[in-house]
Coordinates of all heavy atoms in Angstrom, one line a residue:
M1 N -72.8 87.2 -56.2 CA -72.6 87.5 -54.9 C -72.5 86.3 -54.0 O -73.1 85.3 -54.2 CB -73.7 88.3 -54.3 CG -74.0 89.6 -55.2 SD -73.4 91.0 -54.3 CE -73.7 92.3 -55.5
S2 N -71.6 86.3 -53.1 CA -71.4 85.2 -52.1 C -72.5 85.2 -51.0 O -73.1 86.0 -50.9 CB -70.1 85.3 -51.5 OG -69.9 86.3 -50.7
E3 N -72.5 84.0 -50.5 CA -73.4 83.8 -49.3 C -73.0 84.6 -48.2 O -71.8 84.6 -47.8 CB -73.5 82.4 -49.0 CG -74.4 81.4 -49.8 CD -75.8 81.8 -49.8 OE1 -76.3 82.1 -48.8 OE2 -76.4 82.0 -51.0
L4 N -73.9 85.5 -47.5 CA -73.6 86.2 -46.3 C -74.4 85.5 -45.2 O -75.5 84.9 -45.2 CB -74.2 87.6 -46.6 CG -73.5 88.4 -47.7 CD1 -74.2 89.7 -47.9 CD2 -72.1 88.5 -47.5
Q5 N -73.7 85.6 -44.0 CA -74.3 85.1 -42.8 C -74.5 86.0 -41.7 O -74.0 85.8 -40.6 CB -73.4 83.9 -42.4 CG -73.2 82.8 -43.4 CD -74.4 81.9 -43.6 OE1 -75.2 81.8 -42.6 NE2 -74.6 81.4 -44.7
P6 N -75.2 87.2 -41.8 CA -75.5 88.0 -40.7 C -76.4 87.5 -39.7 O -77.0 86.5 -40.0 CB -75.9 89.2 -41.4 CG -76.6 88.8 -42.6 CD -75.8 87.6 -43.1
P7 N -76.5 88.0 -38.5 CA -77.5 87.4 -37.5 C -78.8 87.5 -38.1 O -79.3 88.4 -38.7 CB -77.2 88.4 -36.3 CG -76.2 89.6 -36.7 CD -75.7 89.2 -38.0
V8 N -79.6 86.5 -37.7 CA -81.0 86.4 -38.1 C -81.8 87.0 -37.0 O -82.0 86.5 -36.0 CB -81.3 85.0 -38.4 CG1 -82.8 84.8 -38.9 CG2 -80.5 84.2 -39.5
L9 N -82.4 88.2 -37.4 CA -83.3 88.8 -36.6 C -84.6 89.0 -37.3 O -84.6 89.7 -38.3 CB -82.7 90.2 -36.1 CG -81.4 90.2 -35.4 CD1 -80.8 91.6 -35.1 CD2 -81.6 89.4 -34.0
S10 N -85.6 88.5 -36.8 CA -86.9 88.6 -37.5 C -87.8 89.7 -37.0 O -89.0 90.0 -37.6 CB -87.8 87.4 -37.4 OG -88.0 87.0 -36.1
T11 N -87.3 90.5 -36.0 CA -87.8 91.6 -35.5 C -87.1 92.9 -35.5 O -85.9 92.9 -35.3 CB -88.3 91.5 -34.0 OG1 -89.0 90.1 -33.9 CG2 -88.9 92.6 -33.4
C12 N -87.7 94.0 -36.1 CA -87.0 95.3 -36.1 C -86.5 95.7 -34.8 O -87.3 95.9 -33.9 CB -87.8 96.2 -36.9 SG -87.1 97.9 -37.0
P13 N -85.1 96.1 -34.6 CA -84.7 96.6 -33.3 C -85.2 97.9 -33.0 O -85.2 98.4 -31.9 CB -83.2 96.6 -33.3 CG -82.9 96.5 -34.8 CD -84.1 96.0 -35.5
E14 N -85.7 98.7 -34.0 CA -86.2 100.1 -33.7 C -87.7 100.1 -33.3 O -88.0 100.8 -32.4 CB -86.0 100.8 -35.1 CG -86.4 102.3 -35.0 CD -85.4 103.1 -34.1 OE1 -84.5 102.7 -33.7 OE2 -85.9 104.2 -33.6
C15 N -88.6 99.4 -34.2 CA -90.0 99.5 -34.0 C -90.7 98.2 -33.5 O -91.9 98.3 -33.2 CB -90.7 100.1 -35.1 SG -90.8 98.9 -36.6
G16 N -90.0 97.2 -33.5 CA -90.5 95.9 -33.2 C -91.4 95.3 -34.3 O -92.0 94.2 -34.1
G17 N -91.4 95.8 -35.4 CA -92.1 95.3 -36.5 C -91.5 94.0 -37.2 O -90.3 93.6 -36.8
H18 N -92.3 93.3 -37.8 CA -91.8 92.1 -38.5 C -91.7 92.1 -40.0 O -91.8 91.0 -40.7 CB -92.6 90.9 -38.0 CG -92.7 90.6 -36.5 ND1 -91.6 90.2 -35.9 CD2 -93.5 91.1 -35.5 CE1 -91.9 90.0 -34.6 NE2 -93.0 90.7 -34.4
S19 N -91.8 93.3 -40.6 CA -91.8 93.4 -42.1 C -90.3 93.7 -42.5 O -90.1 94.8 -43.0 CB -92.8 94.3 -42.5 OG -94.2 94.0 -42.3
L20 N -89.4 92.7 -42.5 CA -88.1 93.0 -42.9 C -87.8 92.5 -44.1 O -88.2 91.3 -44.5 CB -87.1 92.4 -41.8 CG -87.3 92.9 -40.3 CD1 -86.4 92.2 -39.4 CD2 -87.2 94.4 -40.3
Y21 N -87.1 93.1 -44.9 CA -86.6 92.7 -46.3 C -85.2 92.8 -46.4 O -84.5 93.6 -45.8 CB -87.2 93.6 -47.3 CG -88.8 93.4 -47.4 CD1 -89.6 94.0 -46.5 CD2 -89.4 92.5 -48.4 CE1 -91.0 93.8 -46.6 CE2 -90.8 92.3 -48.4 CZ -91.5 93.0 -47.6 OH -92.9 92.9 -47.6
Q22 N -84.5 91.9 -47.2 CA -83.2 92.1 -47.4 C -82.7 91.8 -48.8 O -83.4 91.2 -49.6 CB -82.4 90.9 -46.5 CG -82.7 89.6 -47.0 CD -82.0 88.5 -45.9 OE1 -81.5 88.8 -44.9 NE2 -82.1 87.1 -46.4
T23 N -81.4 92.3 -49.2 CA -80.9 92.1 -50.4 C -79.3 92.2 -50.2 O -78.9 92.4 -49.1 CB -81.4 93.1 -51.5 OG1 -80.9 92.7 -52.8 CG2 -80.8 94.4 -51.2
T24 N -78.5 91.9 -51.2 CA -77.2 92.1 -51.2 C -76.8 93.1 -52.2 O -77.4 93.5 -53.2 CB -76.3 90.9 -51.6 OG1 -76.8 90.4 -52.8 CG2 -76.6 89.8 -50.5
G25 N -75.5 93.9 -51.8 CA -75.1 94.9 -52.8 C -73.6 95.2 -52.5 O -73.1 94.4 -51.8
R26 N -73.2 96.1 -53.2 CA -71.8 96.6 -52.9 C -71.8 97.8 -52.0 O -72.7 98.7 -52.1 CB -71.1 97.0 -54.2 CG -71.0 95.8 -55.2 CD -69.9 94.8 -54.6 NE -69.8 93.5 -55.3 CZ -69.2 92.5 -55.1 NH1 -68.4 92.5 -54.0 NH2 -69.3 91.4 -55.7
A27 N -70.7 97.9 -51.2 CA -70.6 99.0 -50.2 C -70.0 100.3 -50.8 O -69.2 100.9 -50.3 CB -69.8 98.7 -49.0
G28 N -70.5 100.8 -52.0 CA -70.2 101.9 -52.6 C -70.3 101.9 -54.2 O -70.6 100.8 -54.8
T29 N -70.0 103.0 -54.8 CA -69.9 103.1 -56.2 C -68.8 104.0 -56.6 O -68.3 104.6 -55.7 CB -71.2 103.8 -56.7 OG1 -71.2 105.3 -56.3 CG2 -72.6 103.1 -56.1
P30 N -68.4 104.2 -57.7 CA -67.4 105.1 -58.1 C -67.6 106.5 -57.7 O -66.7 107.2 -57.6 CB -67.1 104.8 -59.6 CG -67.7 103.5 -59.9 CD -68.9 103.3 -58.9
H31 N -68.9 106.8 -57.4 CA -69.1 108.2 -57.2 C -69.7 108.5 -55.7 O -69.6 109.7 -55.3 CB -70.3 108.7 -58.1 CG -70.1 108.3 -59.5 ND1 -69.1 108.9 -60.2 CD2 -70.4 107.3 -60.4 CE1 -69.0 108.3 -61.6 NE2 -69.9 107.5 -61.6
A32 N -70.1 107.5 -55.0 CA -70.7 107.8 -53.6 C -70.8 106.5 -52.8 O -70.7 105.5 -53.2 CB -72.1 108.4 -53.8
N33 N -71.0 106.9 -51.5 CA -71.5 105.9 -50.6 C -70.3 104.7 -50.3 O -70.6 103.6 -50.3 CB -72.7 105.2 -50.9 CG -73.8 106.1 -50.8 OD1 -73.8 107.0 -50.0 ND2 -74.9 105.8 -51.6
L34 N -69.1 105.1 -50.2 CA -68.1 104.1 -49.9 C -68.1 103.8 -48.3 O -67.6 104.6 -47.6 CB -66.7 104.6 -50.3 CG -65.5 103.7 -50.0 CD1 -65.7 102.4 -50.7 CD2 -64.2 104.4 -50.4
L35 N -68.8 102.8 -48.1 CA -69.0 102.4 -46.6 C -67.9 101.6 -45.9 O -67.7 101.7 -44.8 CB -70.4 101.7 -46.4 CG -71.6 102.4 -46.9 CD1 -72.8 101.3 -46.7 CD2 -71.9 103.5 -46.1
L36 N -67.2 100.8 -46.7 CA -66.1 99.9 -46.2 C -64.9 100.3 -46.9 O -64.3 99.3 -47.6 CB -66.7 98.6 -46.2 CG -67.9 98.2 -45.5 CD1 -68.4 96.7 -45.8 CD2 -67.7 98.4 -43.9
P37 N -64.3 101.3 -46.8 CA -63.1 101.6 -47.4 C -61.9 100.6 -47.1 O -61.7 100.4 -45.9 CB -62.7 103.1 -47.0 CG -63.5 103.3 -45.8 CD -64.6 102.5 -45.9
G38 N -61.2 100.1 -48.0 CA -60.1 99.3 -47.9 C -60.5 97.9 -47.6 O -59.6 97.1 -47.3
L39 N -61.7 97.5 -47.7 CA -62.2 96.1 -47.3 C -62.6 95.3 -48.6 O -63.0 94.2 -48.5 CB -63.1 96.0 -46.3 CG -62.8 96.8 -45.1 CD1 -63.9 96.7 -44.0 CD2 -61.5 96.3 -44.4
G40 N -62.6 96.0 -49.8 CA -62.9 95.3 -50.9 C -61.8 94.8 -51.6 O -60.7 94.5 -51.0
S41 N -61.9 94.3 -52.9 CA -60.8 93.8 -53.8 C -60.2 94.9 -54.8 O -61.0 95.9 -54.9 CB -61.3 92.6 -54.4 OG -61.8 91.7 -53.5
F42 N -59.5 94.5 -55.6 CA -58.9 95.4 -56.6 C -60.1 95.7 -57.7 O -60.7 94.7 -58.2 CB -57.7 94.8 -57.3 CG -57.2 95.6 -58.4 CD1 -56.6 96.8 -58.0 CD2 -57.3 95.4 -59.7 CE1 -56.1 97.6 -59.0 CE2 -56.8 96.1 -60.7 CZ -56.1 97.2 -60.4
L43 N -60.5 97.0 -57.7 CA -61.6 97.4 -58.5 C -62.8 96.9 -58.2 O -63.9 97.0 -58.9 CB -61.4 97.0 -60.0 CG -60.0 97.7 -60.6 CD1 -59.9 97.3 -62.0 CD2 -60.1 99.3 -60.5
T44 N -63.2 96.4 -56.9 CA -64.4 95.9 -56.4 C -64.7 96.3 -55.0 O -63.8 96.2 -54.2 CB -64.4 94.3 -56.4 OG1 -64.1 93.9 -57.8 CG2 -65.8 93.9 -56.1
Y45 N -65.8 96.9 -54.8 CA -66.1 97.4 -53.6 C -66.6 96.2 -52.7 O -67.1 95.2 -53.2 CB -67.2 98.4 -53.5 CG -66.9 99.7 -54.2 CD1 -67.1 99.9 -55.6 CD2 -66.0 100.6 -53.5 CE1 -66.7 101.1 -56.2 CE2 -65.6 101.8 -54.2 CZ -65.9 102.0 -55.4 OH -65.5 103.2 -56.2
A46 N -66.4 96.4 -51.4 CA -66.9 95.2 -50.5 C -68.3 95.0 -50.6 O -69.1 95.7 -50.8 CB -66.6 95.6 -49.1
E47 N -68.7 93.7 -50.5 CA -70.1 93.2 -50.5 C -70.7 93.4 -49.2 O -70.2 93.3 -48.1 CB -70.1 91.8 -50.9 CG -71.5 91.3 -51.1 CD -71.5 89.9 -51.6 OE1 -70.6 89.2 -51.2 OE2 -72.4 89.6 -52.4
V48 N -72.1 93.8 -49.2 CA -72.7 94.0 -47.8 C -74.2 93.3 -48.1 O -74.6 93.2 -49.2 CB -73.0 95.5 -47.4 CG1 -71.7 96.0 -47.0 CG2 -73.7 96.2 -48.6
Q49 N -74.8 92.9 -47.0 CA -76.1 92.5 -46.9 C -77.0 93.7 -46.4 O -76.5 94.4 -45.4 CB -76.4 91.3 -46.1 CG -77.9 90.8 -46.3 CD -78.3 89.6 -45.7 OE1 -78.4 89.4 -44.5 NE2 -78.4 88.6 -46.5
I50 N -78.1 94.1 -47.1 CA -78.7 95.2 -46.7 C -80.2 94.8 -46.1 O -80.8 94.0 -46.8 CB -79.0 96.2 -47.8 CG1 -77.6 96.6 -48.3 CG2 -79.7 97.5 -47.4 CD1 -77.7 97.2 -49.7
R51 N -80.7 95.2 -45.0 CA -81.9 94.8 -44.4 C -82.7 96.2 -44.2 O -82.0 97.1 -43.7 CB -81.8 94.0 -43.3 CG -81.3 92.6 -43.5 CD -81.2 91.8 -42.2 NE -80.7 90.5 -42.5 CZ -80.3 89.7 -41.6 NH1 -80.6 89.9 -40.3 NH2 -79.9 88.5 -41.9
V52 N -84.0 96.2 -44.5 CA -84.8 97.3 -44.4 C -86.1 96.8 -43.7 O -86.6 95.9 -44.1 CB -85.1 98.0 -45.8 CG1 -86.1 99.2 -45.6 CG2 -83.8 98.3 -46.5
C53 N -86.5 97.7 -42.8 CA -87.9 97.5 -42.2 C -88.9 98.2 -42.8 O -88.8 99.5 -43.1 CB -87.7 98.0 -40.6 SG -89.4 97.8 -39.9
A54 N -89.9 97.6 -43.5 CA -90.9 98.2 -44.1 C -92.0 99.0 -43.2 O -92.7 99.8 -43.9 CB -91.7 97.1 -44.9
D55 N -91.9 98.8 -42.2 CA -92.7 99.5 -41.1 C -92.1 101.0 -40.8 O -92.8 101.9 -40.9 CB -92.9 98.7 -39.8 CG -93.8 97.4 -40.2 OD1 -94.6 97.5 -41.1 OD2 -93.5 96.5 -39.4
C56 N -90.9 101.0 -40.4 CA -90.3 102.3 -40.0 C -89.2 102.9 -40.8 O -88.8 104.0 -40.7 CB -89.8 102.3 -38.4 SG -88.2 101.2 -38.3
G57 N -88.7 102.0 -41.7 CA -87.6 102.3 -42.6 C -86.2 102.2 -42.1 O -85.3 102.7 -42.7
L58 N -86.1 101.7 -41.0 CA -84.6 101.4 -40.5 C -83.9 100.6 -41.6 O -84.3 99.6 -42.0 CB -84.7 100.7 -39.1 CG -83.3 100.3 -38.6 CD1 -82.6 101.6 -38.1 CD2 -83.4 99.3 -37.3
I59 N -82.7 101.0 -41.8 CA -81.7 100.4 -42.8 C -80.6 99.9 -41.9 O -80.0 100.6 -41.3 CB -81.3 101.2 -43.9 CG1 -82.6 101.8 -44.7 CG2 -80.4 100.5 -44.8 CD1 -82.1 102.9 -45.7
R60 N -80.2 98.6 -42.2 CA -79.0 98.0 -41.5 C -78.2 97.4 -42.6 O -78.7 96.8 -43.4 CB -79.4 97.1 -40.5 CG -80.2 97.7 -39.2 CD -80.6 96.7 -38.3 NE -81.6 95.9 -38.8 CZ -81.9 94.4 -38.6 NH1 -81.2 94.0 -37.6 NH2 -82.9 93.9 -39.2
Y61 N -76.8 97.5 -42.4 CA -75.8 97.0 -43.4 C -75.0 95.9 -42.6 O -74.6 96.2 -41.4 CB -74.9 98.0 -43.9 CG -75.7 99.0 -44.8 CD1 -76.1 100.2 -44.3 CD2 -75.6 98.8 -46.1 CE1 -76.7 101.2 -45.1 CE2 -76.4 99.7 -47.0 CZ -76.7 100.9 -46.3 OH -77.3 101.9 -47.2
Y62 N -74.6 94.8 -43.2 CA -73.8 93.8 -42.7 C -72.7 93.6 -43.7 O -72.9 93.2 -44.8 CB -74.5 92.5 -42.4 CG -75.6 92.6 -41.3 CD1 -76.9 93.0 -41.6 CD2 -75.2 92.4 -39.9 CE1 -77.9 93.1 -40.6 CE2 -76.2 92.5 -39.0 CZ -77.5 92.8 -39.3 OH -78.5 93.0 -38.3
A63 N -71.5 93.6 -43.2 CA -70.2 93.4 -44.1 C -70.2 91.9 -44.3 O -70.5 91.1 -43.5 CB -69.0 93.9 -43.4
A64 N -69.9 91.6 -45.5 CA -69.6 90.2 -45.9 C -68.5 89.6 -45.3 O -67.6 90.4 -44.9 CB -69.6 90.1 -47.5
P65 N -68.5 88.3 -45.2 CA -67.3 87.6 -44.5 C -65.9 88.1 -45.1 O -64.9 88.3 -44.4 CB -67.6 86.1 -44.7 CG -69.1 86.1 -44.7 CD -69.4 87.4 -45.5
A66 N -65.7 88.2 -46.5 CA -64.6 88.6 -47.1 C -64.1 90.0 -46.5 O -62.9 90.2 -46.4 CB -64.7 88.5 -48.7
A67 N -65.0 91.0 -46.4 CA -64.6 92.2 -45.8 C -64.3 92.2 -44.4 O -63.3 92.7 -44.0 CB -65.8 93.2 -46.1
L68 N -64.9 91.3 -43.6 CA -64.8 91.2 -42.3 C -63.4 90.6 -42.0 O -62.6 91.0 -41.1 CB -65.8 90.3 -41.6 CG -67.1 90.8 -41.4 CD1 -68.0 89.9 -40.7 CD2 -66.9 92.4 -40.5
A69 N -62.9 89.6 -42.9 CA -61.5 89.1 -42.8 C -60.4 90.1 -43.0 O -59.3 89.9 -42.4 CB -61.4 87.9 -43.9
K70 N -60.7 91.2 -43.7 CA -59.6 92.3 -43.8 C -59.8 93.2 -42.8 O -58.7 94.1 -42.7 CB -59.8 92.9 -45.2 CG -59.7 91.8 -46.3 CD -60.0 92.5 -47.7 CE -59.8 91.6 -48.8 NZ -60.2 92.2 -50.1
L71 N -60.8 93.2 -42.0 CA -61.0 94.5 -41.0 C -59.8 94.7 -40.1 O -59.4 95.7 -39.9 CB -62.3 94.3 -40.4 CG -62.8 95.5 -39.5 CD1 -62.9 96.7 -40.3 CD2 -64.2 95.0 -38.8
R72 N -59.6 93.6 -39.4 CA -58.6 93.7 -38.2 C -57.2 94.1 -38.7 O -56.4 94.7 -37.9 CB -58.5 92.4 -37.5 CG -59.9 92.3 -36.6 CD -59.7 91.1 -35.7 NE -60.9 90.9 -34.8 CZ -62.0 90.4 -35.2 NH1 -62.3 89.8 -36.3 NH2 -63.0 90.3 -34.2
T73 N -56.9 93.9 -39.9 CA -55.6 94.2 -40.4 C -55.5 95.4 -41.3 O -54.4 95.8 -41.8 CB -54.8 92.9 -41.1 OG1 -55.6 92.6 -42.2 CG2 -54.7 91.9 -40.0
S74 N -56.6 95.9 -41.7 CA -56.6 97.1 -42.6 C -56.1 98.3 -42.0 O -56.5 98.8 -40.8 CB -58.0 97.4 -43.0 OG -58.0 98.6 -43.9
P75 N -55.2 99.1 -42.5 CA -54.6 100.4 -42.0 C -55.8 101.5 -42.0 O -55.6 102.5 -41.4 CB -53.5 100.7 -42.9 CG -53.8 100.0 -44.2 CD -54.4 98.7 -43.9
R76 N -56.8 101.3 -42.8 CA -57.9 102.3 -42.8 C -58.9 102.2 -41.6 O -59.7 103.1 -41.4 CB -58.8 102.0 -44.0 CG -58.0 102.1 -45.4 CD -57.7 103.6 -45.8 NE -58.9 104.4 -46.0 CZ -59.7 104.6 -47.0 NH1 -59.3 104.0 -48.1 NH2 -60.6 105.5 -47.1
W77 N -58.7 101.0 -40.8 CA -59.8 101.0 -39.7 C -59.0 100.8 -38.5 O -58.0 100.0 -38.3 CB -60.6 99.6 -40.0 CG -61.4 99.8 -41.1 CD1 -61.2 99.7 -42.5 CD2 -62.8 100.3 -41.1 NE1 -62.0 99.9 -43.3 CE2 -63.2 100.3 -42.5 CE3 -63.7 100.7 -40.3 CZ2 -64.5 100.7 -42.9 CZ3 -64.9 101.1 -40.7 CH2 -65.3 101.1 -41.9
Q78 N -59.4 101.6 -37.3 CA -58.8 101.4 -36.1 C -59.9 101.0 -35.0 O -61.0 101.4 -35.0 CB -58.4 102.9 -35.6 CG -57.1 103.4 -36.3 CD -57.6 104.0 -37.8 OE1 -58.6 104.6 -37.9 NE2 -56.7 103.6 -38.7
P79 N -59.4 100.0 -34.1 CA -60.4 99.5 -33.1 C -60.8 100.6 -32.2 O -60.0 101.5 -31.9 CB -59.6 98.4 -32.5 CG -58.2 98.7 -32.7 CD -58.1 99.4 -34.1
L80 N -61.9 100.6 -31.7 CA -62.3 101.5 -30.7 C -61.9 101.2 -29.2 O -61.7 100.0 -28.9 CB -63.9 101.6 -30.5 CG -64.4 102.3 -31.8 CD1 -66.0 102.2 -31.8 CD2 -63.9 103.7 -32.1
Ligands
ZN1 ZN1 -88.9 99.0 -37.9

């Protein structure tokens, strides 16, 4: 997995707790949870960093830079 650079927040935005954990993963599987359609590579789902608050359970996902680089030009995504 490549290095990810999401914002560094040491406090949970939901409960104010400080028990945050993180890992990296893929934004989908062949069977479920395709979070970033069109932003991965051929046969590879986009990479995300996942952060979880151990106090309240809030889960946050951050798209990897490679996925963000494709976002503005992807036909699957429209700006709000
Ligand atoms: Zn929390």
